[in-house]
Structure formats: structure tokens, C-alpha cells
């Protein structure tokens, strides 16, 4: 039986489903409701009450930041935890969100463990007591509460013998690294394989535990196909992804998606290159406009 209520706000239904699934599996005492943008979320929050808000930043009609600003002006929501889940991790945006009263900041793509720890951190004993009342176990190898004591007391547990890398909060995480010189030298090889005589477009494809330096092979309004060297850490099918594309003039498009296909470039077992297709899930008109501009420029460069 649900005891707490959470509102999940994101213009991409794929992301909303990921968040709701994680909450449902890890915290069965939390009932989730979702909204495609801040305006709809505002309406739901006015008509009902929520104990937690998990929200994207960039959305049509009303952004996550605008929803946060409105929320902190409402007496019943002044102290309700608000987790911003977004691909915007640059310092200025983080500082702006902190000033407006954000409780935590989680970068996309996120892992279920990363999201669970943020929820535990912001809800604290309210969540623990709800789990107790719901008769749920607070321990177990796959239980999200196995580190709850450390999180609630701000103490660190001894590191595991072979710890897996954990995605850092964007509050502490630097920008995704630019393609290295090695990646740059690889682009010439990519160019000769692709037959594209225009300037190659580099892209960073971010996953929950890695960033893939790659070259754009093809792109349209629904998906992008990139080529990356095999010696990097690759994702799995259906893993979340954020594709960072340089639009020029200092602007960066951050497009949310998921891995649709992984394929060897050559029909050889020892091929050096892998093709990765990422399907986009954003429904924000501004992002689609940015993508359209890049597609047009990409096509013109390949003539």
C-alpha cells in the first residue's frame, strides 16, 4: 500500500517511465504520478499534494526551474524535496537551481542506484518510517536501503574490494570531456570509411557510467548513428543516453535518447570500430529546432 506520493515531470515519456519503474521497484510505498511539463505538473500539485518531485529542467510550456520557483512560493511545498533530473550539468545552471531551492541534482543519464540514493538522501527518515509502516525490509543485497544508514548519517562505509564507478552528482562532476587528441586522430579514419568529404562532426554520447567519444555518421530527427573506437566502454541495448552535439557559437544541444543498436563497422571479429545508434526521445520543440538546424548543417557539409 502506497503511503507517500511522488510527481515525475519530464517531456520524454521514456524517461518518465524509467523514473517511475525505479521508484516502484525500489520504494513500493511511494505512489507515482507523472506530467509531461511544468504547466501540467503545476495543475496536479494545486489539486493534490505530493511528498517528492522529480523533475526535468528543459521542457515546453514551463521549465523545471520555473516549476521549482513557483513551488517554493507555495506554503505546502516550501520544504518538499525537489530533485532536478537533467542533462544540464554546467556550473551556472547548478548554482541557479541551488539558489532557487533545489534539494538535489541528478545528471542524465542516471542509474537506478544513483536515483535511489538521491531519493533516500532527500526524504531521509520520512521514507524510512514509511517503509517500516509498509512492512518492507530495510536490508538485502538488492535493496536500495542497504546504504541508507550511511546516507542518513552522512557517514561513509568502507569501500568494496572491487568497487564499481558510481556516477557523480553534477554538483561535483565536471563537464563531459571533449574528444581527446586520440579521438581526433581517429576521425580521419572514420572519414575515409564514411565517404563524407565534409568536416567531421564530433559527438560525446553520455551513459550512466561512461562517456563515448565518437563521430557522427548519420543523423535525422529521430536518431543518430555514431562511430566510436572499440577500446572504449560501450553501453547495452536500451541504455539511457545523452548526445552532446556542438551547434556552433558556443551552443550545445543535449539530446536524450536510448541505445537502439550496436553493430561492428567491419565484418571482422577484430574490427576497431563500432557503430552505435541512439534513438531520440525528447518532445521539447526547442530541442527539435536545435536538432533540425544541426541536421541541415550536417547534410550540407556532406555534399
Amino acid at each position: 500500500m502506497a503511503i507517500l506520493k511522488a510527481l515525475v515531470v519530464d517531456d520524454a515519456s521514456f524517461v518518465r517511465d524509467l523514473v517511475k519503474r525505479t521508484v516502484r521497484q525500489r520504494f513500493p510505498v511511494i505512489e507515482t504520478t507523472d506530467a509531461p511539463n511544468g504547466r501540467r505538473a503545476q495543475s496536479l500539485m494545486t489539486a493534490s499534494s505530493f511528498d517528492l518531485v522529480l523533475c526535468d529542467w528543459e521542457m515546453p510550456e514551463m521549465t523545471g526551474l520555473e516549476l521549482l520557483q513557483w513551488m517554493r512560493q507555495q506554503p505546502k511545498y516550501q520544504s518538499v524535496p525537489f530533485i532536478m533530473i537533467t542533462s544540464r550539468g554546467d556550473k551556472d545552471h547548478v548554482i541557479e537551481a541551488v539558489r532557487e531551492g533545489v534539494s538535489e541534482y541528478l545528471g542524465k543519464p542516471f542509474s537506478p542506484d544513483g536515483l535511489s540514493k538521491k531519493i533516500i538522501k532527500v526524504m531521509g527518515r520520512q521514507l524510512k518510517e514509511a517503509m517500516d509502516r509498509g512492512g518492507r525490509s530495510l536490508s538485502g543485497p538488492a535493496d536500495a536501503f542497504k546504504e541508507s544508514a550511511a546516507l542518513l548519517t552522512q557517514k561513509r562505509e568502507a569501500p568494496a574490494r572491487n568497487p564499481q564507478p558510481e556516477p557523480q552528482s553534477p554538483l561535483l562532476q565536471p563537464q563531459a570531456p571533449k574528444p581527446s587528441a586520440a579521438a581526433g586522430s581517429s576521425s580521419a579514419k572514420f572519414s575515409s570509411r564514411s565517404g563524407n568529404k565534409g568536416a567531421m562532426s564530433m559527438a560525446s554520447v553520455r551513459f550512466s557510467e561512461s562517456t563515448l567519444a565518437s563521430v557522427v555518421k548519420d543523423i535525422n530527427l529521430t536518431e543518430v548513428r555514431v562511430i566510436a573506437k572499440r577500446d572504449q566502454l560501450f553501453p547495452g541495448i536500451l541504455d539511457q543516453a545523452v548526445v552532446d552535439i556542438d551547434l556552433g557559437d558556443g551552443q550545445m544541444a543535449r539530446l536524450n535518447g536510448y541505445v537502439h543498436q550496436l553493430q561492428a563497422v567491419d565484418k571482422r571479429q577484430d574490427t576497431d570500430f563500432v557503430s552505435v545508434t541512439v534513438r531520440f526521445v525528447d518532445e521539447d520543440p526547442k530541442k527539435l529546432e536545435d536538432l533540425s538546424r544541426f541536421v541541415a548543417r550536417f547534410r550540407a557539409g556532406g555534399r
Side-chain angles (χ1 to χ4, degrees):
M1 178 180 177
I3 299 174
L4 302 172
K5 294 176 64 177
L7 179 61
V8 180
V9 192
D10 199 297
D11 64 298
S13 59
F14 176 81
V15 178
R16 295 200 304 271
D17 289 344
L18 284 173
V19 174
K20 290 191 296 181
R21 186 183 310 126
T22 298
V23 173
R24 183 169 60 249
Q25 292 175 347
R26 304 294 181 96
F27 312 109
V29 296
I30 300 180
E31 173 187 303
T32 59
T33 304
D34 65 292
N37 56 61
R39 188 68 65 195
R40 176 58 179 160
Q42 187 181 49
S43 176
L44 290 171
M45 293 171 71
T46 300
S48 184
S49 294
F50 294 92
D51 305 289
L52 172 67
V53 178
L54 305 116
C55 185
D56 185 25
W57 186 307
E58 296 175 301
M59 297 178 294
E61 297 192 42
M62 176 184 277
T63 68
L65 185 67
E66 291 170 338
L67 178 64
L68 174 61
Q69 292 169 334
W70 170 84
M71 178 175 162
R72 292 311 185 210
Q73 295 173 1
Q74 311 307 308
K76 69 176 181 178
Y77 287 119
Q78 287 180 351
S79 59
V80 169
F82 187 109
I83 300 177
M84 191 78 83
I85 306 176
T86 175
S87 55
R88 302 181 71 163
D90 47 288
K91 183 179 178 180
D92 290 343
H93 285 103
V94 173
I95 292 175
E96 187 175 9
V98 170
R99 285 175 177 168
E100 297 298 336
V102 74
S103 306
E104 264 296 335
Y105 205 104
L106 179 63
K108 291 179 182 177
F110 57 87
S111 67
D113 284 342
L115 175 59
S116 298
K117 289 177 181 179
K118 295 293 184 182
I119 293 174
I120 293 170
K121 184 176 180 180
V122 301
M123 299 201 74
R125 299 197 178 280
Q126 180 186 16
L127 179 57
K128 185 178 184 301
E129 291 170 359
M131 292 289 281
D132 288 341
R133 292 200 304 273
R136 298 292 175 173
S137 172
L138 300 185
S139 62
D143 198 298
F145 276 93
K146 61 184 176 181
E147 295 181 2
S148 61
L151 289 167
L152 292 173
T153 59
Q154 299 299 307
K155 293 180 180 179
R156 294 186 177 181
E157 294 183 351
R161 184 169 299 177
N162 294 303
Q164 294 296 318
E166 177 184 329
Q168 296 182 24
S169 166
L171 292 167
L172 303 174
Q173 186 175 16
Q175 287 291 303
K178 295 182 179 180
S180 63
S185 64
S186 299
S187 65
K189 297 179 182 179
F190 296 149
S191 180
S192 64
R193 292 171 182 274
S194 66
N196 186 347
K197 296 181 181 180
M200 299 304 295
S201 297
M202 302 298 293
S204 289
V205 187
R206 288 185 277 134
F207 306 102
S208 62
E209 296 184 356
S210 65
T211 297
L212 198 66
S214 58
V215 170
V216 178
K217 171 72 172 179
D218 194 17
I219 188 169
N220 55 46
L221 294 180
T222 59
E223 66 183 28
V224 61
R225 184 157 62 97
V226 302
I227 298 177
K229 290 202 70 175
R230 182 184 175 184
D231 58 3
Q232 302 182 74
L233 181 61
F234 280 82
I237 299 296
L238 299 182
D239 279 3
Q240 298 174 73
V242 172
V243 182
D244 293 330
I245 297 178
D246 187 359
L247 298 174
D249 299 325
Q251 298 184 56
M252 182 72 72
R254 298 177 176 88
L255 304 166
N256 298 294
Y258 65 92
V259 178
H260 176 69
Q261 185 181 58
L262 292 171
Q263 185 176 12
V265 172
D266 299 319
K267 296 180 180 179
R268 297 182 293 110
Q269 186 175 4
D270 61 346
T271 181
D272 291 329
F273 303 101
V274 177
S275 170
V276 182
T277 300
V278 175
R279 286 273 174 91
F280 299 129
V281 299
D282 288 305
E283 299 173 17
D284 186 339
K286 176 62 170 62
K287 287 192 174 185
L288 293 177
E289 180 183 343
D290 290 340
L291 178 57
S292 298
R293 292 205 324 268
F294 180 83
V295 170
R297 192 180 73 184
F298 179 84
R299 300 292 185 194
R303 289 173 183 170

